[in-house]
């Protein structure tokens, strides 16, 4: 087996397992990992246009229209008319969305604490550096940089 192939499958397995762990932790909130990311990005960076939000999301490529529509229907996001362009909308969290995002933050922190218990800080820094090197010239790098996950 090639080392590069092993790395590919280990990354895939880690991503899938991490997704399962997050989804399990979020199940009590009745929200998906992707929906949680939308709420967190809007809490941290909002209000945003749909295009701006889509650029910042790591969970999904392309337009997050369906994700946003679901969150609007659930009452977590409010669509406002863009102040400079009446044809465009700006997305922001409702009070309900802010509360849900705060609960999501707590769930994420529990997951990050668990990961930090399994892998010491020096190893986490090394893994993160290696993954940054792997992704540095990929299109997703600009979104990761904008979110502060890469330099």
């Amino acid at each position: 087996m090639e080392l590069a192939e092993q790395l590919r499958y280990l990354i895939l397995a880690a991503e899938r397992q991490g997704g399962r762990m997050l989804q399990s932790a979020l199940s009590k909130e009745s929200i998906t990992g992707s929906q949680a990311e939308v709420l967190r990005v809007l809490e941290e960076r909002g209000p945003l246009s749909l295009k701006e939000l889509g650029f910042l999301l790591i969970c999904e490529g392309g337009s997050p229209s369906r994700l946003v529509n679901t969150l609007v229907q659930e009452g977590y996001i409010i669509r406002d008319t863009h102040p400079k362009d009446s044809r465009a909308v700006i997305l922001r969290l409702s009070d309900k969305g802010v509360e849900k995002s705060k609960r999501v933050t707590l769930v994420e922190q529990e997951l990050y604490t668990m990961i930090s218990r399994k892998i010491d800080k020096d190893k986490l820094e090394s893994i993160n550096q290696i993954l940054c090197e792997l992704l540095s010239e990929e299109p997703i790098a600009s979104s990761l940089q904008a979110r502060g996950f890469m330099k």
Side-chain angles (χ1 to χ4, degrees), residues 34-57 64 67-72 75-80 89-94 97-99 101-102 104-105 108 147:
S34 296
Q35 291 169 339
E37 185 181 3
V38 169
L39 295 180
R40 296 280 287 118
V41 168
L42 282 174
E43 181 182 21
E44 293 169 5
R45 305 286 179 102
L48 298 168
S49 70
L50 188 64
K51 183 177 179 180
E52 291 167 328
L53 175 64
F55 172 74
L56 292 170
L57 293 178
L67 274 173
V68 167
N69 288 341
T70 300
L71 293 167
V72 167
Y76 297 125
I77 292 178
I78 296 170
R79 285 187 179 113
D80 291 322
V89 296
I90 293 292
L91 306 169
R92 65 181 172 89
L93 292 182
S94 65
V98 170
E99 285 304 311
S101 183
K102 289 182 187 312
V104 165
T105 299
E108 289 175 340
R147 294 276 301 275

